[in-house]
Amino acid sequence: MIKETIKLAIQAIFRNAMRSILTVLGIVIGVAAVITMMTVGQGSSDQVTADVEKLGTNVLIVIPGGGQMGPGNTSVAAAFELRDVDAIIDQLTSVRTAAPFNQTSLNAVYGQQDTRTSVVGTDGQYLEVVDWPIVLGRSFLATEESAGRAVCIVGETVRQNLFGNTDPIGETIRLKNVSCDIVGLLEAKGASSFGTDQDDVVLMPVKAFQRRVVGSSDVSMIYVAASDGVSTDRTLVDIEVLMRERRRIGDGEEDDFQVRDMKQLASMLTGVTNVLTGLLSSVAAVSLLVGGIGIMNIMLVSVTERTREIGIRLAVGATANQVLLQFLVEAIVLSMIGGVVGILFGLALAAVASNLMSIPFSPDPAIVVLALLFSAAVGVIFGFFPARRAARLNPIDALRHQ
Amino acid sequence: MTVDIPVIALINVTKTYGSGEAEVNAMDGVDLTVKAGEFVALMGPSGSGKSTAMNMIGCLDSPTSGDYLFNGVHVGSLDPDQRALLRRNYLGFVFQGFNLLPRTSALDNVELPLIYKGLSAAERRAQALDALEKVGLKGREHHDPSELSGGQQQRVAIARALVGSPEVILADEPTGNLDTKRSLEIMELLRALNETDGITIIMVTHEDEMAAFAHRVIWMVDGKVDRSGTPHSVLTPERQQA
């Protein structure tokens, strides 16, 4: 009987093919939107995790400021100094190396060329910490670092913007009022998880940066690489203890700095991605609801239009429940067809989007099954009311209809 | 045989529509019995209650008061599902407007009652083909109603009515939409079903010519049975009085 009912439903749906297509369009769009959002969201989460792993899971960053920011917390934590970096390297065995990191945004000028870029004051250790090779030229010399010579290492984007494909080594660029000799070119890295271009950067020795660019001896951030075979958790605690001591924070007082490892950063970033994915998906889910109402609307029209048919069925011996089932199954089949088409459409869209955003295409079978069940549920919920109306028709009135 | 118990027995049945001043007694104390194997024509002027009586007999409507016994069973005490089962297993309907499902082949139309009986696809097909052959539509099984003439459509409807092997076929003005030649063919078909298959037939009609095929004519006036007898005795002399 149920097999018959499904067959009947499919016949009824195809008898009104055009109308059926328009009816399920809402479901198709809703399901496709949800599937696309979820799949792309999953893909970008995977991408963030992969990026962070590439960066090195043993990397930690130390930044000034407490955990709580906002109204009521007005004290500004002091920045670090170069001595703090030295102390971290010299005193902690769990630390392989560390580097200061100061950053500002400046125009870099070469001849007629001019480009806004990120200027970073650091030292050669930074490239060790983040594992970033130099493809042309060399890193800073120890003498350049200690003397604060105005030399710099440029990223691929800066090179392209100022020099095109020519060799930039030995050329001089101007940053603000500082003339800076290029000694090295960094390997191209591409976009970060944030979508920023990591190659749009100029590195210079931190002392030169402090003295000639910003005019202060502050260090705003410290990059730390944990020793091989040492857990980042232990390194994190070591740094925390050392920095509390150096910054004279008494027992029971809160830290005025934070140590973060990349795993935390990764989970924070994927957290953001997940919230966004959830948000967009729920917006998409609203369109599923609208699609469901569309199905209800058309089923109600269909019941009215087929009143006579219902009368005939009742006259030849269909029970009210059989009529109810027929219309319910029709609504469910209709919305599930919409669901399947929506899933295919959504996966295709997600594949294209993933390709364009160069993130991995990660379809989740659970989401696909969920979408299918959800569209069936839409059919049940929005099909029930019209089906019940059909089942409650009085056979004589139904037969006399129009 | 079941001579003692009539297939259909309406006992003092009334049917009232509306209430207060708008109250209309469509049936006003109707007593009516039909024996198994009879061919009865239900006649009378418009508004005489014959269609209401037909719906009542078809278990499509229930009496306001009085009793309806089908094979001795009180139909009034049945719930809607039981009435549906009664229609499914004992009754067949033929309507004036044919009432076939549009855009559905003759075969599928005839199979419809068998779907609700829960027969397998193969059984349904075999029985429906039999029924279509019986009404003379062999070879037209896959035509849509729109591709068939009125007479042929009514034959499909008759095949649908008889495919479930009913005891009673209820025909509500079966020739009302047909010309005389087709009407007579349909009547011959009904008579054959009555005589060879022993199916009881109750038919509402306006036409004396068609009523002449029946064994008995029941003449209704103002919601009451006025007189009943052979077509000849009911339809000839006193007709003018009605």
Side-chain angles (χ1 to χ4, degrees):
Chain A
M1 185 69 214
I2 193 77
K3 210 178 103 194
E4 280 312 319
T5 315
I6 292 171
K7 219 173 97 186
L8 271 176
I10 292 171
Q11 276 171 8
I13 287 165
F14 280 97
R15 208 171 286 156
N16 259 314
M18 188 62 193
R19 181 208 274 177
S20 301
I21 289 169
L22 292 174
T23 308
V24 298
L25 210 56
I27 298 285
V28 170
I29 291 169
V31 170
V34 171
I35 292 278
T36 309
M37 292 301 164
M38 300 274 242
T39 309
V40 170
Q42 185 60 45
S44 48
S45 283
D46 291 355
Q47 177 70 26
V48 167
T49 312
D51 276 357
V52 168
E53 263 162 23
K54 223 192 305 170
L55 193 63
T57 42
N58 65 340
V59 176
L60 298 98
I61 54 175
V62 190
I63 51 175
Q68 253 69 51
M69 292 296 266
N73 192 349
T74 50
S75 65
V76 177
F80 303 114
E81 296 172 359
L82 284 177
R83 277 174 298 175
D84 292 320
V85 182
D86 294 338
I88 289 173
I89 297 174
D90 295 342
Q91 293 179 29
L92 300 178
T93 54
S94 57
V95 169
R96 181 158 58 86
T97 187
F101 188 92
N102 284 2
Q103 189 172 30
T104 189
S105 188
L106 286 177
N107 277 327
V109 183
Y110 174 77
Q112 301 296 325
Q113 305 300 316
D114 182 324
T115 180
R116 190 93 183 158
T117 185
S118 164
V119 178
V120 172
T122 183
D123 59 33
Q125 296 305 307
Y126 172 70
L127 300 177
E128 301 269 318
V129 173
V130 300
D131 191 20
W132 199 348
I134 287 175
V135 288
L136 219 58
R138 57 171 174 84
S139 180
F140 304 128
L141 301 173
T143 52
E144 288 167 344
E145 283 172 0
S146 57
R149 283 274 318 278
V151 289
C152 54
I153 305 171
V154 295
E156 179 60 29
T157 305
V158 175
R159 177 225 188 168
Q160 289 295 336
N161 288 346
L162 295 184
F163 304 99
N165 280 320
T166 60
D167 182 355
I169 308 297
E171 302 292 344
T172 302
I173 56 172
R174 200 157 46 76
L175 300 168
K176 214 159 134 187
N177 49 9
V178 184
S179 287
C180 201
D181 298 332
I182 297 173
V183 296
L185 174 68
L186 290 164
E187 188 185 78
K189 261 189 162 181
S192 75
S193 310
F194 306 95
T196 54
D197 181 2
Q198 300 179 92
D199 298 321
D200 191 5
V201 71
V202 174
L203 305 184
M204 65 194 299
V206 63
K207 277 184 179 163
F209 182 91
Q210 287 175 333
R211 230 179 276 153
R212 307 182 62 174
V213 178
V214 288
S216 97
S217 61
D218 287 349
V219 169
S220 55
M221 205 160 145
I222 303 173
Y223 270 71
V224 182
S227 296
D228 292 336
V230 175
S231 78
T232 49
D233 290 344
R234 211 195 101 197
T235 314
L236 193 146
V237 171
D238 284 353
I239 296 170
E240 215 165 52
V241 170
L242 177 70
M243 292 310 289
R244 280 181 76 88
E245 192 186 308
R246 290 186 64 83
R247 291 165 81 88
R248 295 197 177 75
I249 299 168
D251 291 342
E253 282 182 63
E254 295 250 343
D255 288 354
D256 64 353
F257 63 94
Q258 290 176 60
V259 189
R260 292 223 181 104
D261 69 14
M262 285 302 166
K263 267 183 286 181
Q264 279 178 317
L265 199 66
S267 66
M268 197 184 81
L269 280 177
T270 47
V272 170
T273 317
N274 289 346
V275 167
L276 264 176
T277 305
L279 208 66
L280 290 173
S281 300
S282 36
V283 170
V286 172
S287 64
L288 266 181
L289 189 77
V290 175
I293 293 169
I295 288 209
M296 177 155 75
N297 190 11
I298 293 298
M299 289 304 294
L300 280 173
V301 170
S302 177
V303 167
T304 310
E305 203 182 68
R306 288 154 69 191
T307 298
R308 210 179 168 86
E309 173 193 328
I310 295 163
I312 296 169
R313 290 177 184 279
L314 289 169
V316 302
T319 61
N321 278 334
Q322 285 171 325
V323 171
L324 181 97
L325 195 69
Q326 185 195 334
F327 279 86
L328 201 54
V329 166
E330 209 171 301
I332 295 169
V333 169
L334 204 57
S335 58
M336 282 188 77
I337 289 175
V340 170
V341 174
I343 287 167
L344 295 177
F345 202 56
L347 287 178
L349 212 63
V352 171
S354 303
N355 193 15
L356 287 177
M357 295 161 72
S358 34
I359 57 170
F361 174 54
S362 332
D364 186 346
I367 292 173
V368 170
V369 171
L370 201 72
L372 204 60
L373 290 179
F374 196 87
S375 51
V378 165
V380 173
I381 293 165
F382 294 101
F384 182 75
F385 179 61
R388 198 185 55 170
R389 173 178 281 192
R392 284 189 175 174
L393 283 174
N394 176 341
I396 312 170
D397 296 342
L399 279 170
R400 279 198 197 128
H401 190 256
Q402 54 162 348
Chain B
M1 292 263 300
T2 52
V3 183
D4 297 326
I5 305 173
V7 190
I8 309 282
L10 298 183
I11 301 158
N12 197 23
V13 167
T14 63
K15 180 68 186 180
T16 311
Y17 292 111
S19 58
E21 300 214 350
E23 200 174 274
V24 178
N25 286 323
M27 288 170 77
D28 192 5
V30 171
D31 287 299
L32 185 160
T33 58
V34 178
K35 292 199 283 279
E38 262 196 301
F39 189 157
V40 176
L42 209 49
M43 300 188 74
S46 293
S48 61
K50 53 188 191 306
S51 280
T52 308
M54 199 66 166
N55 290 334
M56 201 76 70
I57 294 167
C59 303
L60 294 170
D61 207 349
S62 42
T64 307
S65 73
D67 289 314
Y68 169 29
L69 287 90
F70 186 90
N71 275 337
V73 175
H74 272 274
V75 175
S77 65
L78 302 178
D79 64 31
D81 280 358
Q82 289 170 318
R83 286 209 293 272
L85 288 175
L86 198 153
R87 286 198 294 273
R88 185 189 299 174
N89 293 310
Y90 296 96
L91 301 176
F93 290 89
V94 178
F95 303 96
Q96 177 178 4
F98 319 135
N99 275 340
L100 299 174
L101 295 187
R103 284 163 296 183
T104 305
S105 74
L107 189 64
D108 286 344
N109 262 296
V110 177
E111 280 189 29
L112 190 64
L114 302 179
I115 289 177
Y116 295 112
K117 278 194 164 183
L119 267 60
S120 75
E123 287 174 293
R124 289 203 308 264
R125 202 179 170 80
Q127 292 187 21
L129 286 172
D130 266 3
L132 281 167
E133 189 174 356
K134 205 171 225 169
V135 299
L137 283 180
K138 195 173 160 67
R140 310 240 169 216
E141 294 89 350
H142 300 288
H143 286 61
D144 273 9
S146 59
E147 299 163 345
L148 297 171
S149 71
Q152 285 170 330
Q153 289 187 52
Q154 194 60 298
R155 284 165 188 273
V156 175
I158 291 172
R160 182 180 65 193
L162 72 91
V163 75
S165 336
E167 280 189 31
V168 182
I169 285 181
L170 301 169
D172 194 352
E173 301 199 41
T175 60
N177 286 5
L178 302 175
D179 61 40
T180 311
K181 185 163 176 281
R182 307 280 165 237
S183 296
L184 292 174
E185 284 171 11
I186 291 294
M187 291 315 299
E188 289 293 352
L189 184 57
L190 289 176
R191 177 149 72 189
L193 291 175
N194 175 252
E195 283 174 1
T196 48
D197 300 77
I199 298 172
T200 308
I201 292 176
I202 303 172
M203 171 180 75
V204 169
T205 185
H206 277 115
E207 300 163 272
D208 295 0
E209 213 175 346
M210 308 308 148
F213 283 81
H215 303 152
R216 184 158 66 101
V217 171
I218 297 171
W219 189 267
M220 289 184 71
V221 176
D222 289 339
K224 292 188 176 69
V225 174
D226 184 67
R227 55 191 191 270
S228 156
T230 62
H232 186 75
S233 69
V234 172
L235 294 175
T236 29
E238 305 152 74
R239 180 85 191 257
Q240 309 309 333
Q241 301 170 4

Coordinates of all heavy atoms in Angstrom, one line a residue, chain B residues 24-59:
Chain B
V24 N -35.2 22.1 5.3 CA -35.7 21.4 4.1 C -35.7 19.9 4.4 O -34.7 19.3 4.8 CB -34.9 21.7 2.8 CG1 -35.5 20.9 1.7 CG2 -34.9 23.1 2.6
N25 N -36.8 19.2 4.2 CA -36.8 17.8 4.4 C -36.6 17.1 3.0 O -37.6 17.0 2.2 CB -38.2 17.3 5.0 CG -38.3 17.6 6.4 OD1 -37.3 17.5 7.2 ND2 -39.5 18.0 6.8
A26 N -35.4 16.7 2.7 CA -35.1 16.1 1.5 C -35.7 14.7 1.4 O -36.1 14.3 0.4 CB -33.6 16.0 1.2
M27 N -35.7 14.1 2.5 CA -36.4 12.8 2.6 C -37.3 12.8 3.9 O -36.9 13.3 4.9 CB -35.4 11.6 2.8 CG -34.6 11.3 1.5 SD -33.2 10.2 1.8 CE -34.1 8.6 2.0
D28 N -38.5 12.4 3.7 CA -39.5 12.7 4.7 C -40.2 11.3 5.0 O -41.4 11.1 4.6 CB -40.5 13.7 4.2 CG -41.4 14.2 5.4 OD1 -41.2 13.8 6.5 OD2 -42.3 15.0 5.1
G29 N -39.6 10.4 5.7 CA -40.2 9.2 6.1 C -40.2 8.2 4.9 O -41.3 7.8 4.4
V30 N -39.1 7.9 4.3 CA -39.0 7.0 3.2 C -38.9 5.6 3.6 O -38.0 5.2 4.5 CB -37.8 7.4 2.3 CG1 -37.6 6.3 1.2 CG2 -38.0 8.7 1.6
D31 N -39.8 4.7 3.1 CA -39.6 3.3 3.3 C -39.4 2.7 2.0 O -40.1 2.9 1.0 CB -40.9 2.7 3.9 CG -41.1 3.0 5.4 OD1 -40.2 2.7 6.2 OD2 -42.1 3.7 5.7
L32 N -38.3 1.9 1.9 CA -37.9 1.4 0.6 C -37.1 0.2 0.8 O -36.2 0.1 1.6 CB -37.1 2.5 0.0 CG -36.5 2.5 -1.5 CD1 -36.2 3.9 -1.9 CD2 -35.3 1.6 -1.6
T33 N -37.4 -0.9 0.0 CA -36.5 -2.1 0.1 C -36.2 -2.5 -1.3 O -36.9 -2.4 -2.3 CB -37.2 -3.3 0.8 OG1 -38.4 -3.6 0.1 CG2 -37.5 -3.0 2.2
V34 N -35.0 -3.1 -1.4 CA -34.5 -3.6 -2.7 C -34.0 -5.0 -2.4 O -33.1 -5.2 -1.5 CB -33.4 -2.7 -3.3 CG1 -32.9 -3.3 -4.6 CG2 -33.9 -1.3 -3.6
K35 N -34.5 -6.0 -3.2 CA -34.0 -7.4 -3.0 C -32.8 -7.6 -3.8 O -32.6 -7.0 -4.8 CB -35.2 -8.3 -3.3 CG -36.3 -8.2 -2.4 CD -37.2 -9.4 -2.4 CE -38.2 -9.5 -3.6 NZ -39.4 -8.6 -3.5
A36 N -32.1 -8.7 -3.4 CA -30.9 -9.0 -4.2 C -31.3 -9.4 -5.6 O -32.3 -10.1 -5.8 CB -30.2 -10.2 -3.5
G37 N -30.5 -8.9 -6.6 CA -30.7 -9.3 -8.0 C -31.8 -8.4 -8.6 O -32.0 -8.5 -9.8
E38 N -32.3 -7.4 -7.9 CA -33.3 -6.6 -8.6 C -32.6 -5.5 -9.4 O -31.5 -5.1 -9.2 CB -34.1 -5.9 -7.5 CG -35.5 -6.5 -7.2 CD -36.4 -5.6 -6.4 OE1 -36.0 -5.2 -5.3 OE2 -37.5 -5.3 -6.9
F39 N -33.4 -5.0 -10.3 CA -32.9 -3.8 -11.1 C -34.0 -2.7 -10.9 O -35.1 -2.9 -11.4 CB -32.8 -4.2 -12.6 CG -32.2 -3.1 -13.5 CD1 -31.6 -3.5 -14.7 CD2 -32.2 -1.8 -13.1 CE1 -31.1 -2.6 -15.5 CE2 -31.6 -0.8 -14.0 CZ -31.1 -1.2 -15.2
V40 N -33.7 -1.7 -10.1 CA -34.7 -0.8 -9.7 C -34.3 0.6 -10.3 O -33.2 1.0 -10.3 CB -34.7 -0.7 -8.1 CG1 -35.7 0.4 -7.7 CG2 -35.1 -2.0 -7.6
A41 N -35.4 1.3 -10.8 CA -35.2 2.7 -11.2 C -35.8 3.6 -10.2 O -37.0 3.4 -9.8 CB -35.8 2.9 -12.6
L42 N -35.1 4.6 -9.8 CA -35.6 5.6 -8.8 C -35.9 6.8 -9.6 O -35.0 7.4 -10.3 CB -34.5 5.9 -7.8 CG -34.8 6.3 -6.4 CD1 -35.8 5.3 -5.7 CD2 -33.5 6.3 -5.5
M43 N -37.2 7.2 -9.6 CA -37.6 8.3 -10.4 C -38.4 9.3 -9.6 O -38.7 9.1 -8.5 CB -38.5 7.8 -11.6 CG -37.7 6.9 -12.5 SD -38.7 6.5 -14.0 CE -38.5 7.9 -14.9
G44 N -38.6 10.5 -10.3 CA -39.4 11.5 -9.6 C -39.0 12.8 -10.1 O -37.9 13.0 -10.7
P45 N -39.8 13.9 -9.9 CA -39.4 15.2 -10.3 C -38.2 15.7 -9.5 O -37.8 15.2 -8.5 CB -40.6 16.1 -10.0 CG -41.4 15.3 -9.0 CD -41.1 13.9 -9.2
S46 N -37.6 16.8 -10.0 CA -36.5 17.4 -9.3 C -36.8 17.8 -7.9 O -38.0 18.3 -7.7 CB -36.0 18.7 -10.1 OG -35.5 18.4 -11.3
G47 N -35.9 17.6 -7.0 CA -36.2 17.9 -5.6 C -37.1 16.9 -4.9 O -37.5 17.1 -3.8
S48 N -37.3 15.8 -5.5 CA -38.2 14.8 -4.9 C -37.4 13.9 -3.9 O -38.0 13.1 -3.1 CB -38.8 13.9 -5.9 OG -37.8 13.2 -6.6
G49 N -36.1 14.1 -3.8 CA -35.3 13.4 -2.8 C -34.7 12.1 -3.3 O -34.1 11.4 -2.6
K50 N -34.7 11.9 -4.7 CA -34.2 10.6 -5.2 C -32.7 10.6 -5.1 O -32.0 9.6 -4.8 CB -34.7 10.3 -6.6 CG -34.5 11.4 -7.6 CD -35.2 11.1 -8.9 CE -34.7 12.1 -10.0 NZ -34.9 13.5 -9.6
S51 N -32.0 11.8 -5.3 CA -30.6 11.8 -5.3 C -30.1 11.6 -3.8 O -29.1 10.9 -3.5 CB -30.0 13.1 -5.8 OG -30.0 13.0 -7.2
T52 N -30.8 12.3 -2.9 CA -30.5 12.1 -1.5 C -30.6 10.6 -1.1 O -29.8 10.1 -0.4 CB -31.4 13.0 -0.6 OG1 -31.4 14.3 -1.1 CG2 -31.0 13.0 0.8
A53 N -31.7 10.0 -1.6 CA -31.9 8.6 -1.2 C -30.7 7.8 -1.8 O -30.2 6.8 -1.1 CB -33.2 8.1 -1.8
M54 N -30.3 8.1 -3.0 CA -29.2 7.4 -3.6 C -27.9 7.6 -2.8 O -27.2 6.6 -2.6 CB -29.0 8.0 -5.0 CG -28.2 7.2 -5.9 SD -29.2 5.7 -6.3 CE -28.2 5.2 -7.7
N55 N -27.6 8.8 -2.4 CA -26.4 9.0 -1.5 C -26.5 8.2 -0.2 O -25.5 7.7 0.3 CB -26.3 10.5 -1.2 CG -25.8 11.3 -2.4 OD1 -25.2 10.7 -3.4 ND2 -26.2 12.6 -2.5
M56 N -27.7 8.2 0.3 CA -28.0 7.4 1.5 C -27.6 6.0 1.3 O -26.9 5.4 2.1 CB -29.4 7.6 1.9 CG -29.7 7.3 3.4 SD -29.2 8.7 4.4 CE -30.4 9.9 3.9
I57 N -28.2 5.4 0.2 CA -28.0 4.0 -0.1 C -26.5 3.7 -0.3 O -25.9 2.7 0.1 CB -28.8 3.6 -1.3 CG1 -30.3 3.7 -0.9 CG2 -28.5 2.2 -1.8 CD1 -31.2 3.6 -2.1
G58 N -25.8 4.7 -0.9 CA -24.4 4.6 -1.2 C -23.5 4.8 0.0 O -22.3 4.9 -0.2
C59 N -24.1 5.0 1.1 CA -23.3 5.3 2.4 C -22.5 6.5 2.2 O -21.4 6.6 2.9 CB -22.4 4.1 2.7 SG -23.3 2.5 2.9

